[in-house]
Every structure is written in structure tokens, then in C-alpha cells.
Amino acid sequence: MSITLDYGIDLGTTNSTIALYKGAGPELLKDSNGNSLTPSVVHVTSEGDVVTGAAAKEYLKSDPENTSIEFKRIIGTKDPIQFPASGKTFKPEELSSFILKKLLARARAQGGFTPKAVVITIPAMFQLHQCEATREAAILAGIEYAPLLQEPIAAAIAHAHATDKREGYWLIYDLGGGTFDVSLVRSKDGRLQVLDHDGNNHLGGKDLDRLVAQEAVQIIREENVVQDFKRSNPVFAETFGKLKAEAERVRVNLSTVEKDVFQVDNLLIKEDGSTYDFKMEIDREKLESIIEKEILKTTKLCKEVLLRNKLTAAKLNGVVMVGGPTLTPCLPKIIERELQIEAKHYLNPMNIVAFGAAIFASTQKLPKNLRPQSANQDHDLTILDLEYEAMTTNPNPLIVGRILSGPKAGIGHVRLIRSDQKFQTNDLKLDSNQTFFANLALLENDSNLFSIEVLDNAGKKHPCSPSQINIIHGISVGAPPLSQSVGIMLADNSVAWYIKKGTALPTKNKLSHASTILLERGQSGEAISVPIVQGENSRADRNKVIGVLKIFARELAIDLPVGSEIQVELSIDQFSNTSARAYVRLLDQWFENVVQLDVETKTADTVHKELGSQMDRLASLSQLADQLSEDDKSEIDERVQDIESLVEEGDRDSLDKADDILRKMTKKLDTTEDSNHQVNLKTDFYRVSKDVNSVIKQEGNADEKQLMQALENEFQQAIDKQDLKQAEKKKNEMRQLFIDVYSRTDEFWAAMFLQVSQIINDQGYGGANGSALVSEGMRALENGQIGSIRQIYFDLVKMLPQEEKEKISGSDVISTVN
């Protein structure tokens, strides 16, 4: 009986796998037909029966409307998936739970029981709401404990476990059915540490298939076979399903053959009532030309990770290829060309993640409530509580144990025996607390299985749980990093960042905020509802909204005035479990579980409208357009085409992918616009700073000189941090300092007089009295009587209407001081 999880599941977009760690390593569990891969496909019959796996995949061509694939891509979204024949709908989490149940049934068939605890892998770039939805899928499948492990970490563990060549820096290139992750991993003295990662949750084998299918769609449109041939047209839903299924078949088949025929018979009924058969020859070279633009997006992310970490490809030991789509022949070739390093399959890319998950699972202890209990089994069973490092680089690790319960005769001692029989501990005596300890001897860079024996005072052996433990030597895993920063959206569209990208998990942080509205006790709904965002953009609305922080009005003991302090503590554990609580100082009260993860989703109209807004922005900012390089302009044009194509397709995944592309396009425009704004800011600031320096030499005091120096330093710091809002503030403070000092000079009041006299003359305000005052002021200027100008200025201002008074500002006076 084991006290570790041992089961690992790769819950994939296209295929899913379960592996069990037993003996000296992981092994895949296969179905009755000998298949280890389970297609992540669900079909619902007209009677409402749920069919999963390979049997469901058979319906993709014959009944695509009632067959769902790739639902992992939209897990965590609100939109249910419809199965029209039965009238049923399921959330993506529910569909994922059906796949998990099928895998668990396989485990039960081979092990005699259904696991209640398994490790489930997730893409490294999964956001928190997607992690939460994956846990919900596990619960729906009957799994009570499901630690989530990032797929690149699982792959790195499997790679390190299976090969001797493990030291140094590695890129884990993970292209799955629906997502892409790249992780930079360092292995030093056997310790694996993820240094950085990046990726795209909307880029995978599905997107390669989409491009191949689009090639066929373009031909059909050019031949004008039917009108309004769009995926969003429900008439052609089945047609597009057939094209996509054939695209996947051809792409996968070209991994083993040089050329193939993309062929779908009876694809369409033409206008004249005859059937239309589609046929297109495709070879590896043509496939490469079709999918290369998507593969280049992955290598660009790889380059960015290396650049951020100041590494060149020459310093890498290699690229570990993960995921079925990496078997596409042209893919390693493109990677090697772009990164200048060999891309290699060290293990089967379809199994490596499941293997790593099972290895990791063998190091994770079952929660105590899921461990075998003597009350439910043989009363002679001895229950042990053991503490040890299950994955270590120490060849002589310490194990500490305690007897929790056992036979009435009592236990005299314990011993551990390594499976090769070449090491065993002495008989370990129990102290008064029924504890024992020993240093073990491990086979280096190997799995070490130890059997445990417990003996009573008479030397009789008794059954125990656990009866075996496994310790893996040569590998240890550092804390996983957070893949994307997490914060909350503030009223001014800025972000209060709680936890930044790359922070080691588990972690937590506490920030204080002030309420911006009156919060009334007993009002309906939420008193506080603050969006949670995940991303890296300082503009809150450029990030993905993944949930809200909520405090309900019914929980308030009293009304809270504007400005009430609210402390929020956000925690994320090593398996991406997220929680938050809030403390209101005025109430001296904690509010628990205030975080609700619930991702925003957008309609086709919304995405199309936002695209139009960004295009208008680009067209109206001619200076911004000039700042963009030709490559940038070409990239934006390509993204616009992709967005419009995805919006036309109209399904939830296509819209999410379109929204993701639009965010990247917007960020490109933001960056260029900010760069342009920064140049203007620096020009304005240094001009004002020069004027301030001139007048301070003549009129300034020591404090003003010190303030000028401080503002110059603070402006430069803001520019260095790319904090343009703070830089703008410092520029305005420098301008005000100029006005404060310059207003003590005669030149300032002369300039202010000239400004207001121009308005009086042009508009005729004040009539004859106004003209007379202007003439008097002009004579005073000619005679050098500057002292009387100030009062004339104020008298003239009184003659102006309010809107004209508001236009006059000392900040508009241009200094003539050199």
C-alpha cells in the first residue's frame, strides 16, 4: 500500500494519457485495445448518452455538430457547448471530466480501485481561472485531490529521469494540440529550476490544422461552388467539421509519408443539386509553406526568453521537444534554422508529460484523509507516518517515521531494505514517542525502492502501511514560477500588482486600498467588486480579466465612508490554487474567500468593434504610423487579416484567439505610441528645465534650486522605469516651479499683460475703458514703468467673461530668458 499519489494525467487538448509510477519507473496505462492515448473528444447521442475517446472521434466526420473537440482551449469560460441532437449543453469543465473519468476507469481496470488523487498537468501559461476550472473538472470526475503541475516541468522531470545528459540550460519546447509553452530550465547538480517561460494559449496543432483547412476553403471559394461559404453559416457547420478533421489527418500523416491527398467526397451540395467532391494534393514542402508563419511565432517567443535571460543558443545544451505536433517533419528544421541549435526528441513527445507527471506523483504524499486507515482494514495493520525527501540529490537522505497505530502487542523495531538487497538499515528502535530515524543509502541517479518491515517485541512481522517507499536520486525540483503577473484594476485604469511574473510559488502579498465610493450596509448585491487581471501591461484594460474581488453589502456591520482602508491579501500555492481575504480596518473585520475567478468573454461584435477602434487609432495617428517599421506594419496587417478570419468563424475558441491577437496588436501600438510620447515628454521637460535654470539663477532661492535638482532626478527615474504618468507629473511640477519663480520678475507680468491686452483688443471686451487701460499699459511698458503693469493686468482680467479668464494661464507664457 502506497501513501504517494503515483498517478499522473496529461489532460491534453487533442489526446490525454494516464501513467502510473510503480517499481522503478513510470508506465503508461493502456486500454483493452492496447492504446495509451485517449482522444480528448466527447460525442453526445440524440438520446443524451455521452461517448468519449476513440469511439467519440469516429463521429467527427459523420456528426460534427454533436461532437466536441479541443474544449481545453476554452476551459474556464462561461459559454456552454451545445449538442443540438439531444438538446444538452455542457461546460468545458464537464467535458474534461468525462475524459478524466475514462482514464480513471482504465486505472481501476488495471489496479482494482479508482484513484482519488492524481497529478494533472496544465500548460505553463494557463491563467488562474483556467487552473481553477481544471480543478473543477477533477472534482466532477470524482478526484478529491489534484495537484496541478506545469507541463514543461513535467517534461523536464521525465527528461532528467531518463537521460544522463541533464546538466546545464535547456529549452523545453512544448507544442501541444491547443497551446504552446517554452520554458528555460537549468539543471545544476541535479536540481531542476525553471528560470523563465513564455507561451501562447491559442497556438497549437489545432491552429496548424486550421491553416491547412483554410487552404482548402480558399480553393472552394475561388471555385465559387456555393454562396456565403463561411464557418459561421450554420448550413456549413458539418462541412467545416469534415474539412478540419481531414486537415488533422493529413498533417499527422505527413509526419510519416512524403505526400498525401486531402480528399473529402460528397463535401457539398451545389446550387444545381449535384454533389461536390474536394481533392487537393499536399506534400511536406507545401505543408511547411502553409504552417511556417505559426511556427515562427513559437521561435520568436523562444528568442525572447533567451534574450531576457542574456543567453545565446550556443549556451544551451539542447531543445527538448514535447507534444505530438512537434513530430511534423518541417518543425524541427525551422527551429534549428531560427535558433541555431539542434531540436531533438529525447523521449516520445506524446508520452513525456504523462511520464513526468507520474514521476512527480510518486513524490507527493496522499492527504491523510485518503491514506489507508487501520479502522477500515486489518486490525493487525501498522500505520506509519513518514517524513523524507522523495526526490533528492543527497545520496544519504534522512528518513523519520512514527507509529500512528498498530497491533496491541506493540511494535519493537522497524527496518528498511533496498530492493536490490544491497542495503538495509539496522533494526531501528522506537523511542518513547514511537518514532524512529535513519540515514538511507541511495543508488545514484536512479530510483530507489525500499520495502518496510515492522516487527513486534517477539520478532514477528506485521503488515504495515505504507509497506514500500520510493526515493528518486539525482533530481530535485525548484519551486515553480508564476507564469503571468496578477493584480487588480484600479479606477484610473492602472494596475495594483500583487504578484509579478516569475515569483516562486507558493507566495502571497498584501496591499492596502482606499474605497472610492460610499459603501452602505445592507444594500443589494456587492458593496465592493474589483476586477482581477492577469498579464504584464501597466494599462489594466489591456490585460485579461480573470475574476473579481467581492465583498457583499450584507456582510458590512456599518456604512463605510469614502477613503476607508481595505487590506487585501492574495495567496497562490505551488499548484496555482488562488485565495484572497480582505481586512477592513474601520470594522476590524476579516472577509474570507473574497476572490471569484470568472473570465471575461467577448462576442464577435465586440471583438470586431475593438479592431475597428484600433484601426481608426492607427489611421489617425500619422506620426505613430511613421514610427512603425515596415516589419511592424506588415505584422499588423497580418494580424488584422487573422482577426477578421477568426471573427468570421465565430465560435468561442476563434473569438478568444481573435481577442488574444488583438491584445498583442494593441500592445504594439501602445508601445510605439508610448515611445513617441516619451520623446515629446523629454523634449518638453528639458525645455522647461532650461527655462527654470535660467530664472532660478536670477530669482531663485536655495530651496527652489534643490527642488529643481530633485525634479530632474525624479523625471529621469520615471523615464528609466517607463512610468510615463509619473514623468508627466514631474514635467508639470517643473513647469509650476518655473511659473512660481518667473512670476516674481517684471518680464513675467509684462508678458501676462501683453497676453490679456491682445484678447481685449481682438474681442473688444471692456469697451472704451478696456482700450484706455491697454493704452495706459503700453505707455508704462515704453517708459519702463513695469511696477504698475501688474495692477493694470488684474483690472483688464476683470473685464473678461469667465470662459476667457479660464484660458489665461501663466503656464502659457513663453520664457524669453536665455
Side-chain angles (χ1 to χ4, degrees), residues 47-215:
E47 292 78 21
D49 297 326
V50 174
V51 182
T52 58
K57 191 174 182 179
E58 293 297 319
Y59 290 96
L60 274 176
K61 285 189 176 181
S62 62
D63 190 11
E65 284 190 327
N66 295 290
T67 308
S68 182
I69 59 175
E70 298 153 356
F71 35 82
K72 177 179 175 179
R73 294 258 291 219
I74 58 172
I75 196 166
T77 61
K78 298 177 182 178
D79 295 359
I81 297 169
Q82 299 182 1
F83 297 86
S86 63
K88 288 193 172 185
T89 62
F90 294 100
K91 296 190 299 183
E93 298 92 294
E94 294 175 295
L95 298 181
S96 294
S97 75
F98 297 150
I99 302 301
L100 289 172
K101 285 179 181 178
K102 190 172 188 68
L103 297 174
L104 294 175
R106 186 179 300 175
R108 179 176 183 81
Q110 299 184 34
F113 71 98
T114 302
K116 295 292 184 182
V118 298
V119 169
I120 299 177
T121 60
I122 54 171
M125 294 301 289
F126 248 26
Q127 294 183 312
L128 295 178
H129 69 282
Q130 295 170 302
C131 298
E132 188 65 29
T134 303
R135 271 187 289 272
E136 183 180 338
I139 292 170
L140 292 172
I143 300 170
E144 297 182 28
Y145 181 60
L148 303 183
L149 179 66
Q150 293 175 3
E151 290 168 5
I153 296 179
I157 291 172
H159 170 73
H161 185 265
T163 64
D164 294 329
K165 187 181 179 183
R166 60 177 71 155
E167 291 291 286
Y169 295 96
W170 297 83
L171 272 187
I172 309 297
Y173 180 101
D174 184 358
L175 184 65
T179 61
F180 171 71
D181 288 317
V182 55
S183 293
L184 176 64
V185 176
R186 179 179 64 196
S187 178
K188 186 176 182 180
D189 299 325
R191 182 170 178 79
L192 296 174
Q193 184 69 48
V194 177
L195 301 180
D196 194 4
H197 51 207
D198 213 327
N200 188 332
N201 284 339
H202 298 278
L203 201 168
K206 166 182 175 141
D207 301 284
L208 306 184
D209 299 337
R210 186 200 303 271
L211 292 176
V212 175
Q214 283 178 350
E215 189 79 5

Side-chain angles (χ1 to χ4, degrees), residues 356-370:
I359 295 168
F360 183 77
S362 75
T363 71
Q364 301 299 299
K365 290 184 180 179
L366 286 165
K368 290 185 178 180
N369 66 305
L370 295 180

Side-chain angles (χ1 to χ4, degrees), residues 620-791:
S620 64
L621 295 172
S622 57
Q623 189 174 7
L624 174 60
D626 291 340
Q627 291 282 333
L628 292 168
S629 68
E630 289 303 317
D631 286 344
D632 286 339
K633 292 176 184 177
S634 175
E635 181 180 334
I636 286 176
D637 289 343
E638 183 178 302
R639 284 178 172 174
V640 169
Q641 293 174 10
D642 288 343
I643 292 168
E644 290 178 336
S645 175
L646 289 162
V647 169
E648 179 186 298
E649 292 185 12
D651 62 280
R652 177 75 271 149
D653 179 55
S654 296
L655 292 177
D656 284 351
K657 183 178 175 70
D659 183 45
D660 183 64
I661 296 173
L662 181 57
R663 288 177 192 276
K664 290 181 172 66
M665 172 182 158
T666 302
K667 183 178 180 181
K668 175 73 71 176
L669 296 181
D670 287 345
T671 301
T672 307
E673 189 174 49
D674 286 348
S675 176
N676 195 47
H677 181 40
Q678 179 175 314
V679 170
N680 292 335
L681 261 179
K682 291 167 73 173
T683 301
D684 290 347
F685 181 85
Y686 294 137
R687 178 180 59 80
V688 176
S689 179
K690 179 182 177 183
D691 290 344
V692 171
N693 187 57
S694 296
V695 298
I696 278 184
K697 284 181 180 179
Q698 300 174 28
E699 303 291 337
N701 57 41
D703 288 343
E704 289 165 336
K705 291 177 181 177
Q706 186 175 0
L707 177 57
M708 181 189 73
Q709 186 62 51
L711 289 173
E712 288 178 342
N713 293 337
E714 290 166 4
F715 177 83
Q716 189 57 52
Q717 289 170 7
I719 289 294
D720 291 342
K721 293 179 181 179
Q722 301 293 305
D723 188 346
L724 301 188
K725 184 180 293 185
Q726 182 70 0
E728 184 82 42
K729 179 182 177 183
K730 295 305 167 184
K731 183 196 78 172
N732 291 335
E733 289 178 12
M734 184 67 86
R735 184 183 293 274
Q736 188 59 50
L737 177 60
F738 167 71
I739 294 170
D740 292 344
V741 179
Y742 191 38
S743 64
R744 298 200 293 265
T745 67
D746 291 342
E747 290 88 348
F748 175 82
W749 292 106
M752 293 296 287
F753 164 74
L754 291 172
Q755 183 187 40
V756 73
S757 63
Q758 182 70 42
I759 297 173
I760 292 289
N761 286 335
D762 290 346
Q763 303 298 328
Y765 296 127
N769 289 337
S771 298
L773 274 176
V774 170
S775 298
E776 182 182 345
M778 289 298 183
R779 287 193 297 271
L781 281 179
E782 292 172 1
N783 297 327
Q785 298 170 338
I786 303 299
S788 61
I789 290 295
R790 181 182 300 194
Q791 187 57 50

Side-chain angles (χ1 to χ4, degrees), residues 1-65:
M1 287 173 283
S2 174
I3 60 168
T4 51
L5 276 64
D6 298 335
Y7 287 93
I9 289 178
D10 176 8
L11 184 60
T13 304
T14 306
N15 295 289
S16 297
T17 319
I18 184 170
L20 170 64
Y21 194 98
K22 68 177 186 178
E27 64 178 51
L28 297 173
L29 301 186
K30 299 180 180 180
D31 62 19
S32 57
N33 295 319
N35 299 316
S36 60
L37 296 178
T38 295
S40 299
V41 184
V42 174
H43 173 76
V44 180
T45 68
S46 57
E47 292 78 21
D49 297 326
V50 174
V51 182
T52 58
K57 191 174 182 179
E58 293 297 319
Y59 290 96
L60 274 176
K61 285 189 176 181
S62 62
D63 190 11
E65 284 190 327

Side-chain angles (χ1 to χ4, degrees), residues 423-440:
F423 168 81
Q424 74 174 43
T425 63
N426 297 324
D427 290 346
L428 306 174
K429 299 291 184 181
L430 305 179
D431 64 16
S432 58
N433 294 319
Q434 296 289 288
T435 63
F436 60 91
F437 65 91
N439 286 99
L440 304 176

